[in-house]
Amino acid sequence: MLISTRGRYALRVLIDLVEHTENGYVPMKDIAERQGISLKYLERIIPVLSKNGVIEGLQGKGGGYRLVIPPEDCKIGDVLRLTEGNLAPVACLECGTLPCERTSECRTYPMWVEFYQMINDFFNNKTLADMVKTDTADLSTVL
């Protein structure tokens, strides 16, 4: 499973909105500048978040975007599913696909189901609030 730039950038946008919430609505160009993301690419990500009620926009002077959901209620898994679609590690677990004819005899199927559950549990137990409170000094020790 590989999370695309669309999913990663969506999370960066939302974290940016949380960190600049005192400014009210945050202009897209400010987010793009701070995050090093092209405006053109943001114009493809922002509507997905807006249409699904994660953020809202205001046009005109003083306009921009703001988070609608409290950061502690905004689950990373929900955001990734909006931007990436299903987080299934293998095709046979993707939503909407026909069940694999080999499922009953597939020796690897239970492992993939368990891994898929781990992925969902992990991302569903992380929120934007968790991402914002991460100390950047701790990031150097991650890898």
Side-chain angles (χ1 to χ4, degrees):
M1 178 189 77
L2 185 66
I3 304 295
S4 71
T5 54
R6 184 177 171 130
R8 295 191 326 263
Y9 288 1
L11 292 172
R12 286 171 47 190
V13 165
L14 295 175
I15 291 167
D16 191 280
L17 290 175
V18 171
E19 291 175 336
H20 295 91
T21 193
E22 74 280 352
N23 301 335
Y25 287 88
V26 181
M28 190 184 322
K29 68 177 181 55
D30 293 355
I31 298 167
E33 194 173 291
R34 279 191 297 268
Q35 296 301 318
I37 303 170
S38 77
L39 271 173
K40 205 160 197 61
Y41 201 23
L42 279 185
E43 289 169 353
R44 292 174 40 205
I45 296 170
I46 297 274
V48 172
L49 299 172
S50 181
K51 183 179 89 176
N52 288 284
V54 178
I55 62 173
E56 68 178 3
L58 179 67
Q59 293 184 346
K61 187 170 173 66
Y65 294 90
R66 72 181 182 109
L67 192 65
V68 176
I69 302 169
E72 53 278 354
D73 294 338
C74 187
K75 293 179 178 11
I76 301 302
D78 293 339
V79 174
L80 290 176
R81 279 185 286 281
L82 286 176
T83 56
E84 299 291 323
N86 195 320
L87 298 175
V90 291
C92 61
L93 291 176
E94 288 182 356
C95 292
T97 59
L98 294 173
C100 177
E101 58 204 39
R102 295 185 39 87
T103 300
S104 63
E105 60 197 49
C106 180
R107 303 289 228 164
T108 63
Y109 184 75
M111 174 189 65
W112 294 124
V113 169
E114 183 180 359
F115 182 54
Y116 184 41
Q117 187 61 52
M118 289 169 59
I119 291 168
N120 282 296
D121 288 347
F122 179 81
F123 286 126
N124 288 340
N125 286 307
K126 299 269 184 219
T127 66
L128 278 181
D130 296 328
M131 301 297 96
V132 172
K133 68 182 177 190
T134 299
D135 184 358
T136 54
D138 295 339
L139 297 178
S140 62
T141 61
V142 172
L143 294 176

